Amino acid sequence: GQNIDQPTEMTATEGAIVQINCTYQTSGFNGLFWYQQHAGEAPTFLSYNVLDGLEEKGRFSSFLSRSKGYSYLLLKELQMKDSASYLCAVRDSNYQLIWGAGTKLIIKP
Amino acid sequence: EAGVTQFPSHSVIEKGQTVTLRCDPISGHDNLYWYRRVMGKEIKFLLHFVKESKQDESGMPNNRFLAERTGGTYSTLKVQPAELEDSGVYFCASSQEHGRSAEYFGPGTRLTVL
């Protein structure tokens, strides 16, 4: 079966750095996405990795290792507004998005 | 540019009733997707339209669910008759190029079946 694993919840301090991990086992791989979702709102696209390595976009970076079936989302200089759920999703061989359950990130002052 | 919109934002119905959800994708996006998130579980794919055609409906749970996209613009998802297990948040997303670009999501419709 297809499986995406990520921690259920993480806590970090304002101004700090946090890394959210995602491991996946899917039938095929056509890219990995990270989305941010505030409660009651739409998932918002953050990043896309299809090749191994690090993609940096401002305070957010995403890393991919296809051989290990592993990705992480790195958030720097955390702000209170970064409190949200972070969803990892993989596009499989049928180009369907397979989703993790999301990581709830709590930022404390 | 307007994002993906969905209507209604919330719907509460009784078991056995019918509900129709609507999605308006981003203008110019040929690809439209429906997803569902049941409480406490991950988002699950339901189906994918390219313009007015159903490209992939492998995620539709059963024949009580009917999706349409007449004219290739907005889409509707009808649940008839609704069952308790249909409760959840129904998301719509759209993209320019399937498999090559990100999918942009609407705010979702929270459906509660009593």
Side-chain angles (χ1 to χ4, degrees):
Chain A
Q2 308 203 91
N3 197 47
I4 310 282
D5 285 317
Q6 49 181 132
T8 304
E9 186 174 297
M10 299 182 70
T11 302
T13 304
E14 188 177 17
I17 299 173
V18 70
Q19 177 174 311
I20 303 174
N21 296 325
C22 170
T23 57
Y24 62 89
Q25 291 177 305
T26 56
S27 56
F29 178 85
N30 283 294
L32 185 143
F33 295 81
W34 284 96
Y35 282 80
Q36 178 191 62
Q37 186 180 23
H38 287 98
E41 297 183 8
T44 304
F45 169 72
L46 288 179
S47 69
Y48 170 62
N49 294 71
V50 67
L51 299 176
D52 289 352
L54 189 67
E55 294 282 340
E56 296 186 80
K57 192 185 292 185
R59 294 189 299 115
F60 294 1
S61 303
S62 57
F63 172 83
L64 174 67
S65 169
R66 288 171 296 172
S67 63
K68 295 181 179 178
Y70 167 70
S71 172
Y72 67 72
L73 180 69
L74 192 71
L75 293 76
K76 303 176 185 175
E77 301 168 18
L78 286 170
Q79 303 175 8
M80 297 303 293
K81 67 178 182 179
D82 296 330
S83 292
S85 285
Y86 291 85
L87 305 167
C88 175
V90 171
R91 200 165 257 156
D92 69 6
S93 57
N94 294 319
Y95 289 90
Q96 281 188 20
L97 278 180
I98 310 301
W99 295 82
T103 298
K104 182 179 180 181
L105 178 63
I106 300 168
I107 310 296
K108 295 185 175 180
Chain B
E1 179 184 284
V4 177
T5 58
Q6 293 186 244
F7 181 84
S9 57
H10 293 81
S11 180
V12 181
I13 60 173
E14 293 190 350
K15 177 182 172 181
Q17 290 186 320
T18 297
V19 64
T20 300
L21 314 181
R22 173 171 170 144
C23 168
D24 286 78
I26 292 172
S27 178
H29 282 191
D30 287 339
N31 296 279
L32 186 149
Y33 311 83
W34 283 99
Y35 292 90
R36 176 173 73 173
R37 187 170 196 174
V38 173
M39 180 71 74
K41 298 199 172 180
E42 65 274 16
I43 297 172
K44 292 280 194 183
F45 168 83
L46 295 179
L47 89 159
H48 166 216
F49 282 100
V50 178
K51 297 185 180 178
E52 68 276 8
S53 300
K54 292 176 186 174
Q55 185 75 15
D56 180 355
E57 52 184 330
S58 61
M60 295 287 265
N62 51 61
N63 59 10
R64 294 186 294 103
F65 289 75
L66 176 64
E68 295 181 322
R69 194 183 181 194
T70 307
T73 53
Y74 72 90
S75 175
T76 58
L77 179 64
K78 180 190 288 188
V79 185
Q80 179 182 32
E83 298 289 343
L84 299 178
E85 65 264 26
D86 301 333
S87 296
V89 181
Y90 290 77
F91 289 104
C92 175
S94 70
S95 73
Q96 284 186 310
E97 291 185 75
H98 179 59
R100 292 179 181 273
S101 57
E103 296 175 23
Y104 294 90
F105 281 74
T109 294
R110 181 173 294 278
L111 175 65
T112 302
V113 183
L114 302 175

